[in-house]
Amino acid sequence: MRSLLLTAFVVAFLLHTFAFKFSWAHIFSKKKVIIKYLRYDNCGGTFDPVRFSDVQVSTTGDGDLVVSGKFDAYTKLEPPIKAIVKMKRRILGIWTPVPFCYKDFGSCEFDDICNYGRDLTECPPLLDEHDVPCECPIEKGRYILPGAQFSTKGTRWAALIAGHYKGSIKLMHNQDQIACYNATWTLDD
């Protein structure tokens, strides 16, 4: 009887330890965040000089980002172009503001998106192939990106980032709004 209890205890301990390590390993392993849903609409005026249309953003099975859509610049876009991002996350059914900006995720302000990511020495080939500018100034015109795939990095925070979000982005040049969009999206790990 004693050996049966000892065996049961050892088996229970091993199962508990394995389950505990497995769950922690799952939570803290690097994973790519998957976009499950995205919807956007224009919150700007009818005469905003920047318009996006037919935008599709998704992720591949391995988490890389796929972007397609059209971008109309009704005037030449000069730096600086400020981006103001406000984000909320649904927690227990309540839309709660995300008051921080961590590694460009959350409610963030970018003083000049013309300089964002400028550590690149040249435009990504996908943008060059379709004559989509990757630096300012951006000439007046229509730009079309038909399904470009970009590699993304995994994060240990994927399980915590997963959830339902909504937010807005306003693009400003000096004191003038040049675009405004609202969006809702769902992220999964």
Side-chain angles (χ1 to χ4, degrees), residues 5 17 62 80 89 91 118 123 128-129 183:
L5 286 173
T17 303
D62 65 351
R89 181 177 182 177
I91 300 174
R118 286 313 306 153
C123 283
D128 271 345
E129 287 173 24

Side-chain angles (χ1 to χ4, degrees), residues 38-72:
L38 172 70
R39 195 189 96 228
Y40 73 96
D41 60 349
N42 187 340
C43 59
T46 56
F47 298 107
D48 279 354
V50 173
R51 299 260 177 82
F52 295 92
S53 58
D54 302 327
V55 174
Q56 299 290 318
V57 180
S58 61
T59 45
T60 62
D62 65 351
D64 286 343
L65 195 63
V66 179
V67 180
S68 65
K70 298 174 188 160
F71 162 64
D72 290 297

Side-chain angles (χ1 to χ4, degrees), residues 30-42:
K30 281 195 168 187
K31 295 177 73 178
K32 293 184 179 183
V33 176
I34 306 294
I35 299 171
K36 289 287 191 181
Y37 170 82
L38 172 70
R39 195 189 96 228
Y40 73 96
D41 60 349
N42 187 340

Side-chain angles (χ1 to χ4, degrees), residues 19-189:
F20 181 77
K21 285 183 178 179
F22 176 77
S23 64
W24 282 108
H26 171 72
I27 290 173
F28 291 110
S29 63
K30 281 195 168 187
K31 295 177 73 178
K32 293 184 179 183
V33 176
I34 306 294
I35 299 171
K36 289 287 191 181
Y37 170 82
L38 172 70
R39 195 189 96 228
Y40 73 96
D41 60 349
N42 187 340
C43 59
T46 56
F47 298 107
D48 279 354
V50 173
R51 299 260 177 82
F52 295 92
S53 58
D54 302 327
V55 174
Q56 299 290 318
V57 180
S58 61
T59 45
T60 62
D62 65 351
D64 286 343
L65 195 63
V66 179
V67 180
S68 65
K70 298 174 188 160
F71 162 64
D72 290 297
Y74 294 103
T75 186
K76 183 176 182 178
L77 302 174
E78 300 276 355
I81 299 175
K82 182 175 187 169
I84 303 166
V85 179
K86 300 290 183 191
M87 188 183 297
K88 293 181 179 183
R89 181 177 182 177
R90 193 168 69 198
I91 300 174
L92 300 173
I94 299 169
W95 288 107
T96 306
V98 177
F100 58 84
C101 180
Y102 179 73
K103 294 189 177 185
D104 299 337
F105 181 83
S107 296
C108 305
E109 287 193 16
F110 303 92
D111 289 329
D112 187 7
I113 59 173
C114 292
N115 291 324
Y116 184 81
R118 286 313 306 153
D119 53 343
L120 301 173
T121 56
E122 57 188 39
C123 283
L126 289 168
L127 298 180
D128 271 345
E129 287 173 24
H130 300 289
D131 296 320
V132 175
C134 69
E135 60 186 13
C136 297
I138 298 173
E139 297 297 324
K140 178 180 174 179
R142 171 170 268 199
Y143 302 96
I144 300 171
L145 187 62
Q149 184 171 332
F150 300 95
S151 180
T152 60
K153 294 180 181 179
T155 177
R156 287 187 172 87
W157 303 105
L160 298 175
I161 293 171
H164 302 286
Y165 293 87
K166 70 179 180 179
S168 66
I169 182 168
K170 287 186 181 182
L171 299 180
M172 309 286 290
H173 177 66
N174 297 325
Q175 299 301 316
D176 298 323
Q177 177 176 295
I178 59 174
C180 178
Y181 284 87
N182 290 322
T184 56
W185 65 98
T186 300
L187 303 178
D188 200 2
D189 65 342

